[in-house]
Amino acid sequence: MIERVRPEVDAGRFPAKRVLGEACVVSADIFKDGHDQLAARVRYRCPGEGEWAYVAMPYDPDADRWAGAFLLDRIGEWRFTVEAWTDVFGTWRSGLEKKVAAGQDVAVELLEGAAIIERAARACKDRSARGSLTQAAAALGDANTAVAARTTVALDPALHALVTQHPARDDLTEYSRQLLITVDPIRAAFAAWYEMFPRSQSGDPKRHGTFADAERQLPRIAQLGFDVVYLPPIHPIGTTFRKGKNNTLNPLPNDVGSPWAIGGEEGGHTAVHPHLGSLVDFERFVKRANDLGLEVALDYALQTSPDHPWVREHPDWFKIRPDGTIQYAENPPKKYQDIYPLNFWTDDREALWNACLEVFRFWMARGVRTFRVDNPHTKPFAFWEWVIADIKRTDPDIVFLSEAFTRPKKLLYLAKLGFSQSYTYFTWKNTTYEIRDWMREFTDPDVLEYYRGNLFANTPDILHEYLQRGGRPAFRIRLLLAATLSPLYGIYSGFELYENVPVREGSEEYLNSEKYELRPRDFTTPGNLDAEIRRINRVRRENPALQRADNLTFLRSENDQILFYRKSMPDQSNDLFIAVNLDPLRAHESMVHMPLEELGIAGDAVYPVTDLLTGAQFRWRGARNYVRLDPSQEPAHVLRLERGGPA
Amino acid sequence: MIERVRPEVDAGRFPAKRVLGEACVVSADIFKDGHDQLAARVRYRCPGEGEWAYVAMPYDPDADRWAGAFLLDRIGEWRFTVEAWTDVFGTWRSGLEKKVAAGQDVAVELLEGAAIIERAARACKDRSARGSLTQAAAALGDANTAVAARTTVALDPALHALVTQHPARDDLTEYSRQLLITVDPIRAAFAAWYEMFPRSQSGDPKRHGTFADAERQLPRIAQLGFDVVYLPPIHPIGTTFRKGKNNTLNPLPNDVGSPWAIGGEEGGHTAVHPHLGSLVDFERFVKRANDLGLEVALDYALQTSPDHPWVREHPDWFKIRPDGTIQYAENPPKKYQDIYPLNFWTDDREALWNACLEVFRFWMARGVRTFRVDNPHTKPFAFWEWVIADIKRTDPDIVFLSEAFTRPKKLLYLAKLGFSQSYTYFTWKNTTYEIRDWMREFTDPDVLEYYRGNLFANTPDILHEYLQRGGRPAFRIRLLLAATLSPLYGIYSGFELYENVPVREGSEEYLNSEKYELRPRDFTTPGNLDAEIRRINRVRRENPALQRADNLTFLRSENDQILFYRKSMPDQSNDLFIAVNLDPLRAHESMVHMPLEELGIAGDAVYPVTDLLTGAQFRWRGARNYVRLDPSQEPAHVLRLERGGPA
């Protein structure tokens, strides 16, 4: 019986996710009636490989679990299953040992052993090994040799190794399913994102920015330590029902409109907004970014403005109402007349879906390897499963970020379907209780098999009240939390200037939102958060414990305003203890509790910790230690436990 | 998408278990891309029924879960799945309501509604409903009627009800699997067992007891409140390598041997030991038991003595060694030469497996409906799955108790394969920590879907050190624990006389074990535990909270020697709080903690509890309450919370 094989998502319906260079540990419950010894192995296949490979799964008696590991050294879809069989020789040999030790007559046992080895010889395809096995079988069964001498042959460790290497595997049993693993590039699981509107980068509120202007921001963004620059849609913007500043319905003639109202006279999803420049300019932007070590992520929003070419060319790709008009987006009684949703179940759906696929491929051909997908939960799940699989078949390195601000089950389902990472509820989790409760749900080991949360601290849609009221310290706190709670995090341009004015009291929308107007910024404004951002991104790059999601533990803090948690490598080679004051307005102190037993530190021992933010060293003693965090100074400690270091 | 359907065991590989008369609650995660409203139902089929039945699954927005329930009013194998579809009309109607409330023009919406109702009419098989739907569609689409009047028709709750009852279900989606539920008789899940050797019931150590002697014990056993009388094997016993008293290898001529060495000259698994009487005597014993409300459970041990007829008639059903002898049982270097294991994978396995099946059917034909299966983990899993399914097909009321003292995974796997209940590790769990830890593992909701533990307080094989050292109070403690921690429990004859002498220091075997000799007992010995047994069995029958396994919660007790737990009905109609002193040698006191918030009791309120063992009433106040338990008096409280009762 082979049960509870891991990794496995929904009984094998979906692949588990891993990244390049990881060891894939496969484990299983394996057992059989009776008392025979068993043996097991993983059978696995690397993408593009026709042959199966094998790796042994040794038994861990403490866990009553079998496990083996292999290196994931190629991006793409891996396949594996588990095989087990009765270790007939091992079972027999162990009984023989005990009988010999008890001084029993083992003449008949030797004949049984000879038969076992003969069966192994018959099954053996290696000529030389087969010869050795046949010889050993003959020796064990040779009635002319003394039992004692034959017993010595029988118990020879070399014979044991030989038969273990070439067993008969008469009852080889395979797990009922073959399972899949999607191996992504590392940036799918570890990256810092920066969102920027190219059109705001001219430096002049009157002049529409271009890709060339945006290019000039790239060195700054790279120096801040980001890995991905994400651009909202760069396509022509509709004029029909265009939104004015602050989402008003009566735009002025020079209002630029929302980039998500995709499509105009100049083209749709495969065109660039003429004010931004040309496709060549865009390709140069991507090239410059890549040269600086930055990925460019493009927005992928499957909707159109009423002026999109598809509306004229394929009106049947939209829902036609009984009065002949095209159905605009709505959330009754609200109307979004500047946006047409696509009708994915149109009779002409094959053409529509292919057109949507071609949008991806068009930008991939221009250097884009990462897509931020707008509202995927409002498009068919079947579409995502199909389109992501199609792309990954040829380009398994493509990364898809899902923007699904919806119920957890839908959010997680999109991750199962193939999205590499997902936006989260992080912006709305600001207290100890909220953060712990939410992170516990989304760092459940079963969930982490397929889900990776990208913790954006703000977005053009979400300026949380916490940031509105907490000012600069609040931005520093949220930056530290996002960057240390998760290997994936992001900020939206303006965060570094702690822009915090909402359009009105009680709203999470920005005043003068960049979604509807140009927002040039002076990023050199004194007091900006550049130093803090650079610092935490450096700490992330230097500390492997901050580069994975499966190693977060919340620890006890006696003051609820101070969140205390651990990020640790499995071998404890990099072991961080992070204390964050969640109150942006006041200094707080707390006794925080170190898990001494787990750390193997004696109850009264002194051990050094280094604050990676400030370089300060502390000598901590015992389980309870004192921290005081003043948000106007340093709102957090990121403490590295120094093992064998200076005390 | 339909996910996480419950009950489901191992992705539908095995049935879940329920008992007759229970409501089967089926729940699921159901969701769809977009914002449409959904509807769902359970499709289920009762055993022996060709037609599917349906029950609606309403949505619980708090849990984001859908659930529906149906009554399990027949024993046997039930089948179900989940269906869901878009509630097109409900979605449209809800939008219409909001638009109307906002004063928007809904003329086009009414035409859309007419089309939706027309589709429902076309799909409708009920002639009268179809007429009403067609009429409503016409009314909504009638351009000659004012929009306001048509809106009134559209929002008529009667129309809503009609379309909800006869929806088009254009996108009806079925869960990917059909799932099974085994419905057992109630005694499969709630029963008190009593194990008795008929041969010891003559009252005379010199005379082999008979079924008639055993019959005379039945009224006493029934009066003690037991439900099942379990008899060790009643078959002829082998003489070859027969074991003497206290498991010695040199028996005296009049030693009776172990009943598990099945088979002699007089027959095998379908014969009765001639000293016990005849088959007719056995049938009378069963009849008498049934008349007293007792079930008879027979031992089913698939092994033979060397003298079993199968050894002569079917030597190929055993493993023949290279020297021509039959392989006896062994656990190297130990030899059990009085026992031959069957070779279930013999070439003649079809005949062997059928013979084993026929053993069941032979005793079923003689009134036995419950079998206690000896060491099932040493026989093939495939055999059990086959044989239990074959029997349940014709006789779904048969109950199988698995005696698998093996690793948890094998023990649980046998439960999945079809065993109705299972022995447990209870005898070895005697401290607070041991009991809580072990019970937590085996009362996990996923485990309880298929596993039912039968907590034997002792067996002929297991006299735990705790009983050896703790004397009479220890027996009372273990009785109370077994009978209240689990709806299934049992004792082995002699428990009521607190027999506690081991064969030697450090052994769990009884001195003069009944396995190897006659052990007549005087059950009327003063100080016996009859009153205690009668009392707790009465409390079990009177309190539904003690009749199910899924309602156990451990509560805080400030003294580790006092275990405190709750057994409660889901509606709290029967709510028991049980405190047991685990130390048989000393009185202990503790503050125990009541879950006031869950109980809806104010922090300082006074509430009455009644001790069901003694009838004593206490007025408890607040969360922390004092208990003192003296094992020489009463080692436990079984407190019933009195709601609205006398304070």
mmCIF file of all heavy atoms in Angstrom, chain B residues 579-591:
data_model
loop_
_atom_site.group_PDB
_atom_site.id
_atom_site.type_symbol
_atom_site.label_atom_id
_atom_site.label_comp_id
_atom_site.label_asym_id
_atom_site.label_seq_id
_atom_site.Cartn_x
_atom_site.Cartn_y
_atom_site.Cartn_z
ATOM 1 N N ALA B 579 -14.583 14.105 34.889
ATOM 2 C CA ALA B 579 -13.293 14.267 35.559
ATOM 3 C C ALA B 579 -12.906 12.912 36.138
ATOM 4 O O ALA B 579 -13.698 12.303 36.855
ATOM 5 C CB ALA B 579 -13.390 15.320 36.659
ATOM 6 N N VAL B 580 -11.711 12.454 35.791
ATOM 7 C CA VAL B 580 -11.272 11.142 36.268
ATOM 8 C C VAL B 580 -9.903 11.294 36.926
ATOM 9 O O VAL B 580 -8.979 11.852 36.327
ATOM 10 C CB VAL B 580 -11.173 10.128 35.111
ATOM 11 C CG1 VAL B 580 -10.829 8.735 35.639
ATOM 12 C CG2 VAL B 580 -12.463 10.083 34.301
ATOM 13 N N ASN B 581 -9.790 10.797 38.127
ATOM 14 C CA ASN B 581 -8.492 10.736 38.810
ATOM 15 C C ASN B 581 -7.734 9.533 38.246
ATOM 16 O O ASN B 581 -8.168 8.389 38.385
ATOM 17 C CB ASN B 581 -8.703 10.575 40.317
ATOM 18 C CG ASN B 581 -7.372 10.444 41.064
ATOM 19 O OD1 ASN B 581 -6.295 10.464 40.458
ATOM 20 N ND2 ASN B 581 -7.463 10.296 42.386
ATOM 21 N N LEU B 582 -6.611 9.782 37.596
ATOM 22 C CA LEU B 582 -5.875 8.690 36.942
ATOM 23 C C LEU B 582 -4.939 7.966 37.897
ATOM 24 O O LEU B 582 -4.339 6.959 37.526
ATOM 25 C CB LEU B 582 -5.068 9.244 35.758
ATOM 26 C CG LEU B 582 -5.896 9.942 34.673
ATOM 27 C CD1 LEU B 582 -4.976 10.411 33.547
ATOM 28 C CD2 LEU B 582 -6.961 9.004 34.118
ATOM 29 N N ASP B 583 -4.816 8.478 39.097
ATOM 30 C CA ASP B 583 -3.908 7.866 40.070
ATOM 31 C C ASP B 583 -4.711 6.934 40.972
ATOM 32 O O ASP B 583 -5.480 7.385 41.825
ATOM 33 C CB ASP B 583 -3.244 8.974 40.892
ATOM 34 C CG ASP B 583 -2.284 8.420 41.936
ATOM 35 O OD1 ASP B 583 -2.242 7.172 42.114
ATOM 36 O OD2 ASP B 583 -1.587 9.220 42.579
ATOM 37 N N PRO B 584 -4.553 5.607 40.826
ATOM 38 C CA PRO B 584 -5.387 4.682 41.600
ATOM 39 C C PRO B 584 -4.995 4.645 43.081
ATOM 40 O O PRO B 584 -5.725 4.099 43.898
ATOM 41 C CB PRO B 584 -5.125 3.325 40.934
ATOM 42 C CG PRO B 584 -3.801 3.453 40.262
ATOM 43 C CD PRO B 584 -3.635 4.900 39.891
ATOM 44 N N LEU B 585 -3.856 5.242 43.421
ATOM 45 C CA LEU B 585 -3.338 5.065 44.775
ATOM 46 C C LEU B 585 -3.614 6.237 45.712
ATOM 47 O O LEU B 585 -3.529 6.100 46.922
ATOM 48 C CB LEU B 585 -1.818 4.808 44.719
ATOM 49 C CG LEU B 585 -1.403 3.630 43.818
ATOM 50 C CD1 LEU B 585 0.108 3.487 43.793
ATOM 51 C CD2 LEU B 585 -2.068 2.329 44.283
ATOM 52 N N ARG B 586 -3.936 7.407 45.147
ATOM 53 C CA ARG B 586 -4.047 8.598 45.977
ATOM 54 C C ARG B 586 -5.236 9.459 45.552
ATOM 55 O O ARG B 586 -5.563 9.521 44.372
ATOM 56 C CB ARG B 586 -2.784 9.457 45.864
ATOM 57 C CG ARG B 586 -1.723 9.176 46.927
ATOM 58 C CD ARG B 586 -0.408 9.848 46.570
ATOM 59 N NE ARG B 586 0.123 9.308 45.320
ATOM 60 C CZ ARG B 586 0.903 8.230 45.241
ATOM 61 N NH1 ARG B 586 1.284 7.607 46.332
ATOM 62 N NH2 ARG B 586 1.319 7.774 44.081
ATOM 63 N N ALA B 587 -5.813 10.150 46.513
ATOM 64 C CA ALA B 587 -6.821 11.163 46.190
ATOM 65 C C ALA B 587 -6.104 12.373 45.584
ATOM 66 O O ALA B 587 -4.961 12.674 45.944
ATOM 67 C CB ALA B 587 -7.579 11.580 47.443
ATOM 68 N N HIS B 588 -6.762 13.040 44.619
ATOM 69 C CA HIS B 588 -6.207 14.265 44.030
ATOM 70 C C HIS B 588 -7.293 15.307 43.954
ATOM 71 O O HIS B 588 -8.483 14.995 43.885
ATOM 72 C CB HIS B 588 -5.649 13.996 42.634
ATOM 73 C CG HIS B 588 -4.325 13.308 42.658
ATOM 74 N ND1 HIS B 588 -3.140 13.980 42.831
ATOM 75 C CD2 HIS B 588 -4.004 11.991 42.546
ATOM 76 C CE1 HIS B 588 -2.139 13.107 42.819
ATOM 77 N NE2 HIS B 588 -2.645 11.890 42.653
ATOM 78 N N GLU B 589 -6.840 16.571 43.952
ATOM 79 C CA GLU B 589 -7.794 17.655 43.726
ATOM 80 C C GLU B 589 -7.274 18.519 42.592
ATOM 81 O O GLU B 589 -6.084 18.516 42.275
ATOM 82 C CB GLU B 589 -8.008 18.469 45.004
ATOM 83 C CG GLU B 589 -6.739 18.906 45.681
ATOM 84 C CD GLU B 589 -6.983 19.507 47.065
ATOM 85 O OE1 GLU B 589 -8.060 19.268 47.637
ATOM 86 O OE2 GLU B 589 -6.099 20.229 47.540
ATOM 87 N N SER B 590 -8.189 19.219 41.959
ATOM 88 C CA SER B 590 -7.799 20.033 40.808
ATOM 89 C C SER B 590 -8.830 21.125 40.602
ATOM 90 O O SER B 590 -9.982 21.006 41.038
ATOM 91 C CB SER B 590 -7.716 19.153 39.550
ATOM 92 O OG SER B 590 -7.332 19.935 38.427
ATOM 93 N N MET B 591 -8.397 22.197 39.950
ATOM 94 C CA MET B 591 -9.344 23.156 39.404
ATOM 95 C C MET B 591 -9.512 22.767 37.942
ATOM 96 O O MET B 591 -8.527 22.661 37.198
ATOM 97 C CB MET B 591 -8.816 24.588 39.516
ATOM 98 C CG MET B 591 -8.540 25.062 40.945
ATOM 99 S SD MET B 591 -9.961 24.938 42.062
ATOM 100 C CE MET B 591 -11.015 26.235 41.394
#
